[in-house]
């Protein structure tokens, strides 16, 4: 049983409480450093990761020096919504054919991706890359790393987040677990001429 007396014990208690609060806050706002909990398809060679909430906080703390890059297709950016400050440079385009087996659309590569990135960002810029759920953004980060970029983070839960896996829920299979849209961070359908991809 703890007994708090005026003086030293109370000061120690307040100090410990302050340290625990600080550690708690740092745990939720610090970038994710290790990739042991990151699925393989979301891992990058730079090993720099944030979740959507952390990305929003990082950008908010320094909007002049931190950039959000949305690498989804133009259709996703326009019709599903996007972070209000995100520059769109697609890593792939939405094709006009479906794979007959998977029923997924063809998605041809954007051969001008790195060229477009270089026109927009400097190699020492801090760039947080987002896609739908963290896989295409990982590919984009790796391409950017090969091109000399070093401060590029993968937003591991993406814009829409991960799928709910609960067969008993009517939301099963829907992307409602995390992601920018579900994190409380601002997003919009509104388009700004200097942010939309227009090669």
């Amino acid at each position: 049983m703890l007994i708090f007396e005026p003086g030293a014990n109370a000061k120690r208690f307040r100090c410990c409480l302050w340290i625990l609060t600080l550690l708690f806050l740092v745990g939720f706002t610090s970038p994710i450093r290790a990739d042991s909990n990151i699925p393989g398809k979301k891992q990058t060679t730079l090993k720099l990761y944030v979740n959507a909430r952390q990305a929003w906080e990082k950008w908010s703390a320094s909007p002049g020096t931190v950039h959000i890059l949305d690498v989804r297709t133009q259709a996703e950016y326009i019709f599903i919504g996007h972070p209000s400050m995100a520059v769109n440079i697609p890593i792939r385009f939405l094709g006009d054919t479906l794979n007959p087996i998977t029923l997924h659309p063809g998605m041809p590569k954007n051969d001008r991706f790195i060229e477009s990135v270089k026109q927009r960002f400097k190699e020492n810029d801090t760039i947080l890359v987002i896609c739908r759920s963290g896989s295409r953004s990982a590919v984009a980060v790796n391409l950017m790393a090969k091109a000399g970029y070093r401060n590029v983070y993968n937003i591991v839960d993406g814009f829409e987040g991960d799928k709910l896996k609960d067969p008993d829920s009517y939301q099963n299979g829907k992307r409602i677990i995390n992601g920018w849209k579900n994190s409380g961070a601002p997003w919009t359908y509104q388009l700004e001429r200097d942010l939309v991809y227009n090669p």
Side-chain angles (χ1 to χ4, degrees):
M1 180 170 124
L2 293 172
I3 299 172
F4 297 102
E5 298 173 4
N9 284 341
K11 285 181 184 175
R12 280 190 206 114
F13 174 74
R14 282 194 302 272
C15 182
C16 288
L17 189 59
W18 183 85
I19 289 170
L20 287 172
T21 302
L22 182 63
L23 290 172
F24 178 79
L25 291 173
V26 167
F28 282 98
T29 59
S30 296
I32 303 163
R33 294 282 176 205
D35 55 9
S36 59
N37 295 326
I38 308 290
K41 63 185 179 178
K42 297 183 181 188
Q43 292 182 20
T44 69
T45 56
L46 295 177
K47 300 187 184 309
L48 298 173
Y49 310 101
V50 288
N51 62 37
R53 186 69 199 177
Q54 292 166 335
W56 161 240
E57 290 168 357
K58 194 171 181 65
W59 181 87
S60 297
S62 188
T65 60
V66 174
H67 308 279
I68 308 282
L69 172 60
D70 191 325
V71 298
R72 292 175 302 152
T73 66
Q74 292 158 297
E76 289 171 291
Y77 184 87
I78 293 168
F79 297 115
I80 295 173
H82 52 271
S84 52
M85 73 298 294
V87 173
N88 179 224
I89 302 175
I91 191 167
R92 292 189 168 274
F93 298 112
L94 184 61
D96 57 0
T97 59
L98 288 178
N99 179 309
I101 297 168
T102 65
L103 297 181
H104 291 155
M107 295 185 76
K109 288 189 311 185
N110 178 358
D111 293 328
R112 297 184 60 204
F113 176 72
I114 289 298
E115 176 187 333
S116 300
V117 166
K118 286 183 174 182
Q119 289 172 354
R120 188 72 191 223
F121 304 109
K122 299 182 187 98
E123 288 183 7
N124 60 348
D125 282 348
T126 299
I127 306 167
L128 315 178
V129 185
I130 194 167
C131 67
R132 181 187 62 187
S133 55
S135 299
R136 275 177 287 169
S137 52
V139 173
V141 169
N142 289 338
L143 287 174
M144 292 168 72
K146 282 184 185 175
Y149 289 84
R150 290 290 167 257
N151 301 314
V152 187
Y153 292 73
N154 186 19
I155 302 176
V156 294
D157 48 348
F159 184 69
E160 293 185 65
D162 295 318
K163 291 179 182 177
L164 176 68
K165 293 177 182 172
D166 181 359
D168 296 329
S169 171
Y170 75 97
Q171 301 259 31
N172 185 43
K174 294 182 181 170
R175 296 185 179 278
I176 60 169
I177 298 296
N178 46 31
W180 192 281
K181 246 185 172 179
N182 305 308
S183 71
W187 62 276
T188 185
Y189 296 110
Q190 201 166 24
L191 301 176
E192 290 188 36
R193 190 176 303 279
D194 62 329
L195 300 179
V196 178
Y197 183 68
N198 188 12

